Amino acid sequence: MNETVELQFENMVQWRRHLHRNPELSYMEKETAAFVAEKLESFGIEVRRNVGGHGLIGIVKGALPGRTVALRADMDALPISEESGAEYASKREGVMHACGHDGHTAALLGAAQYFAERREQLEGEIRLLFQASEEVCPGGAKPMIEEGALEGVDAVYGVHLWTPLPIGTAASVAGPMMASTDEFFIDITGRGGHGGMPHETVDSIIAASALVMQLQTIVSRSVDPLRPAVLSVGTINGGFAQNVVAETTRITGTVRTFDEETRALIRRRIEEMSRQIAEAYGASAQVDYLVGYPALINHASETERFFRIAPEALPGFNIEIAKPLMPAEDFAYYLQEKPGCFMLVGAGNSEKGFVYPHHHPRFDFDESALSASATLLIAMAESALQQKD
């Protein structure tokens, strides 16, 4: 592991813990951005502020000409009340870094300091993307791209601290790695009335219940079984009294896929099925379908770079082929524009109690993963800068 990064470890821990104590929700990362900008400027790095919301771009231009590599970290927290019991736990009720974004930011700050101290030997440019609002669609990646974050970039890399993987592990996979994410909202409208006279009503709850059961057949009977997909109903809400037939009922859920053909098929079947089932019960259906992040597709050449570079950068680590994941990531937008690779760094440690999943109120991670994350980002960037087109 990079010895310079190891020397920066205590700084990364301090930065991470400061951010963990002071989390900010998506689209509200003003203080976080100010903290990161102050650190970057203290390293002598040029900073562009308010990019795609509260996003930042740090620019390290080497003294020598060369390629341009972008490194990305996300900064936002989640609307969760922390129960970790850590001395650095969130000071803000109902807001928590429960996905490791504080660690991503701290690790990229470590990489930023590393490159800032070596700009005289640096061939090319390192572009540091501190992105806001990853957790909530439409996200912060797309607006950053629209505001020029990737102009002139030759490759882009990102790391996710991942507690399902143990410390001492790093993983990635070529092709689909994380799913697209869409959301649906279905409003069933019938005719309300007295619960004792159901024959004079059109029961929206009955129609919605039938629809929920039929929606489960889309993946099992409409989608090619060799193409992974998930359709989950998350809520069903209707009615307000035990003796009233509900006039309206709302169903909400999520869809996850790895290819656009399956994504479009499931949307079409949801819309068709909602209309047909509702009509069969004498009701009507209105479907609002929110198209979210696309699937994250790693580039083959850059994933090959990971498997070549990671064993050298992280000696003693288990370097694995990652299993594709159904959670989504708006890093996918960067990979639609430029060659790149998204990587997982193991951050779980059962011996220290770091066993809770992401988005859990007791989530935490082994901070030794910060050094591995920064080292991996640095090694990937240096390799890409040295590549001769």
Side-chain angles (χ1 to χ4, degrees), residues 24-29 76-78 132-136:
E24 293 179 294
L25 295 174
S26 304
Y27 305 99
M28 300 173 65
E29 308 94 332
D76 51 331
L78 287 155
S133 314
E134 186 277 331
E135 293 287 359
V136 179

Side-chain angles (χ1 to χ4, degrees), residues 47-385:
V47 179
R48 282 183 57 196
R49 300 171 187 255
N50 303 314
V51 183
H54 292 297
L56 303 169
I57 298 178
I59 302 171
V60 183
K61 290 186 177 180
L64 304 171
R67 306 176 87 224
T68 298
V69 174
L71 305 176
R72 175 269 206 172
D74 36 18
M75 303 189 295
D76 51 331
L78 287 155
I80 296 173
S81 294
E82 182 160 2
E83 300 174 7
S84 70
E87 60 90 10
Y88 47 84
S90 171
K91 298 189 297 185
R92 293 176 173 160
E93 181 60 34
V95 185
M96 176 191 177
H97 271 294
C99 201
H101 294 189
D102 51 341
H104 302 165
T105 300
L108 188 55
L109 281 173
Q113 186 173 16
Y114 173 91
F115 283 115
E117 293 173 352
R118 288 159 180 77
R119 71 179 82 229
E120 292 303 316
Q121 296 81 41
L122 187 64
E123 297 182 15
E125 176 184 322
I126 298 294
R127 197 167 302 171
L128 306 153
L129 310 181
F130 290 88
Q131 181 203 307
S133 314
E134 186 277 331
E135 293 287 359
V136 179
C137 288
K142 199 169 184 179
M144 285 196 80
I145 293 168
E146 291 169 351
E147 294 186 33
L150 294 181
E151 288 182 7
V153 166
D154 295 291
V156 58
Y157 306 114
V159 161
H160 202 305
L161 294 164
W162 197 243
T163 57
L165 291 178
I167 199 77
T169 305
S172 191
V173 65
M177 180 172 168
M178 301 184 79
S180 63
T181 175
D182 299 334
E183 298 174 356
F184 57 86
F185 307 83
I186 306 170
D187 291 300
I188 306 294
T189 303
R191 185 171 64 250
H194 199 291
M197 296 184 288
H199 58 292
E200 295 181 355
T201 71
V202 174
D203 193 335
S204 66
I205 289 179
I206 295 295
S209 298
L211 177 57
V212 168
M213 297 304 295
Q214 291 303 309
L215 288 173
Q216 303 309 304
T217 69
I218 293 177
V219 172
S220 66
R221 290 295 176 268
S222 295
V223 174
D224 183 337
L226 298 180
R227 295 191 175 189
V230 169
L231 187 161
S232 293
V233 172
T235 70
I236 175 168
N237 294 296
F240 55 87
Q242 78 280 3
N243 62 345
V244 176
V245 172
E247 181 153 331
T248 61
T249 298
R250 167 165 274 209
I251 300 166
T252 71
T254 187
V255 173
R256 309 293 172 111
T257 62
F258 287 111
D259 67 273
E260 290 300 313
E261 183 179 348
T262 303
R263 191 182 195 185
L265 168 66
I266 293 178
R267 177 178 183 174
R268 184 174 69 252
R269 292 295 293 131
I270 288 173
E271 292 171 342
E272 293 171 349
M273 193 173 282
S274 298
R275 181 182 68 255
Q276 293 165 357
I277 296 296
E279 289 177 354
Y281 284 85
S284 62
Q286 173 65 43
V287 179
D288 290 323
Y289 199 92
L290 175 62
V291 176
Y293 302 155
L296 188 154
I297 312 293
N298 276 331
H299 292 247
S301 61
E302 296 301 334
T303 309
E304 290 172 6
R305 188 190 305 277
F306 163 78
F307 283 105
R308 185 174 69 254
I309 295 301
E312 302 172 5
L314 303 173
F317 271 55
N318 293 321
I319 308 302
E320 300 179 353
I321 299 175
K323 295 180 180 178
L325 301 166
M326 281 302 176
E329 241 289 351
D330 74 346
F331 191 85
Y333 288 117
Y334 300 113
L335 295 177
Q336 287 186 334
E337 301 293 327
K338 300 292 181 177
C341 183
F342 197 62
M343 302 160 286
L344 303 178
V345 169
N349 191 328
S350 58
E351 294 181 0
K352 295 182 180 180
F354 301 127
V355 296
Y356 294 95
H358 294 251
H359 295 210
H360 189 283
R362 297 183 68 181
F363 172 85
D364 203 352
F365 63 85
D366 189 325
E367 290 176 325
S368 64
L370 294 172
S371 293
S373 297
T375 297
L376 185 56
L377 288 171
I378 290 167
M380 291 290 287
E382 288 183 333
S383 172
L385 288 176

